[in-house]
Amino acid sequence: MSRKVTALVLAPVLALAVPVSAHHSFFTQYDGSRPVMLEGRVTRVDWENPHVHFYLDVKDARGAVVHWVCETGGPNVLIRAGWKRDSLKPGRRVQVKAYLAKDGSNNVDARIVTFSDQRKVFTGLANDGGPRETD
């Protein structure tokens, strides 16, 4: 009997643990004191919850291509900011104002994406603890 009660009590707790661990605040992964500006070609877009990721090929100072992973808010955040599912397509050139990952990887939290027509779109979450960019 006590095992059934324990299972009934723990089941909802474990079910809630998965979504909570999937979402994180800005400062758990990214460094707000290390902004970076990336310019390159989009190679892939993963339009999924809880965050949209797009992948960017950027040439470094020596001309070598460096692959970057750019994290944004979720699909609903981007839609409210004026994005459409096909706003970023592979091959499209963009400029990204972002913040570097704390672990030194080529992952960034993208805050503003500037398209070739100079339109700028905010891509972060207002309540994620990260910098609120306006341009």
Side-chain angles (χ1 to χ4, degrees):
M1 179 73 169
S2 67
R3 285 186 181 168
K4 287 182 182 178
V5 171
T6 302
L8 287 173
V9 170
L10 287 179
V13 173
L14 293 174
L16 289 174
V18 172
V20 169
S21 67
H23 188 78
H24 57 270
S25 75
F26 173 88
F27 287 104
T28 59
Q29 286 187 278
Y30 302 101
D31 186 343
S33 69
R34 295 182 60 207
V36 64
M37 188 67 76
L38 301 173
E39 188 169 340
R41 289 202 184 278
V42 175
T43 62
R44 181 173 123 201
V45 179
D46 293 337
W47 189 269
E48 301 171 348
N49 278 314
H51 300 279
V52 173
H53 291 88
F54 62 94
Y55 302 80
L56 204 60
D57 279 353
V58 177
K59 288 189 180 179
D60 68 11
R62 295 175 298 193
V65 174
V66 180
H67 308 288
W68 288 87
V69 178
C70 303
E71 181 176 297
T72 72
N76 287 333
V77 171
L78 297 184
I79 289 167
R80 285 192 302 265
W83 290 65
K84 295 182 179 152
R85 191 176 184 95
D86 64 350
S87 291
L88 275 184
K89 293 180 182 178
R92 188 165 192 180
R93 290 195 63 77
V94 293
Q95 187 178 57
V96 180
K97 182 175 183 181
Y99 292 86
L100 295 170
K102 287 182 176 180
D103 66 6
S105 64
N106 287 349
N107 293 309
V108 295
D109 182 82
R111 299 312 258 190
I112 296 178
V113 173
T114 304
F115 296 99
S116 58
D117 63 2
Q118 300 307 306
R119 183 172 46 102
K120 294 181 180 187
V121 182
F122 179 69
T123 61
L125 293 170
N127 62 352
D128 67 356
R132 173 70 182 175
E133 305 290 342
T134 55
D135 60 52

